[in-house]
């Protein structure tokens, strides 16, 4: 049987395949676009959703599930967990980097086209999501990498908070993407093939979201049962005390 985290990767692959059809088939691809009013060439709008979905669906979603082994349970071996921690940290760094690139691209595009920035609900949710993702990375990097060999009560307390915050940021990312798809519809003047594709992209997010949350819910062993590389023993003592 297919494990839940593999189901997430499958639904995510289907979503990105449909998104590429949407971006290239209906919205013109990634080549630089010309602003009709001024004739100025600017970066393509489609690069913004590409980098944002790459950041939060692929890098962050995959980075969270990277703690799962092939059975779907969280990795328990201390040596392997250290390797997974490095991969997790790398994936989250990519998520932050891609999100900042996506933000910079839309600011450049809006400036060239004379659009106001941060005027929509989508942009507000997106900015807050990026800010939380950056804060989450900085805090996580300090407590779980810089201080990885130090056992402390604060660090033990931060672990479940860090995990919950990551899930919350993912939920905000899904909502922001849906708001972005809805905003894209407001630029369509009639119900054409592009409109159908826009609706399909919104609906295809549902199985991605469900499979992601299902993969997280499958393994519900207590946090203390999972050693955390070098400081496993001390951290588990603090968590169980």
């Amino acid at each position: 049987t297919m494990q839940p985290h593999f189901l997430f990767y499958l639904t995510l692959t289907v979503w990105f395949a449909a998104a590429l059809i949407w971006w290239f088939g209906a919205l013109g691809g990634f080549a630089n676009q010309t602003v009709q009013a001024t004739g100025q060439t600017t970066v393509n709008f489609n690069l913004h959703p590409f980098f944002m979905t790459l950041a939060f669906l692929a890098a962050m979603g995959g980075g969270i599930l990277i703690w799962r082994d092939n059975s779907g349970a969280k990795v328990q071996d201390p040596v392997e967990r250290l390797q997974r921690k490095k991969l997790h940290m790398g994936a989250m760094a990519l998520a932050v980097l891609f999100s900042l690139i996506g933000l910079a691209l839309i600011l450049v595009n809006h400036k060239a086209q004379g659009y106001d920035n941060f005027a929509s609900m989508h942009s507000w949710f997106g900015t807050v999501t990026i800010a939380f993702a950056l804060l989450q990375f900085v805090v996580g990097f300090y407590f779980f990498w810089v201080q990885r060999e130090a056992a402390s009560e604060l660090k033990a307390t931060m672990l479940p908070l860090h995990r919950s915050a990551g899930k919350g940021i993912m939920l905000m990312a899904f909502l922001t993407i849906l708001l972005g798809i809805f905003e894209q519809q407001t630029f369509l003047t009639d119900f054409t093939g592009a409109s159908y594709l826009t609706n399909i992209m919104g609906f295809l997010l549902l199985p991605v979201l469900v499979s992601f949350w299902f993969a997280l819910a499958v393994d519900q062993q207590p946090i203390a049962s999972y050693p955390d590389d070098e400081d496993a023993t001390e951290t588990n003592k603090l968590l169980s005390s």
Side-chain angles (χ1 to χ4, degrees), residues 101-124:
I101 292 174
L103 177 61
L105 287 169
I106 197 60
L107 292 177
V108 170
N109 181 275
H110 278 185
K111 182 179 180 180
Q113 301 202 63
Y115 295 156
D116 292 329
N117 289 312
F118 311 111
S120 67
M121 187 177 297
H122 165 72
S123 63
W124 284 32

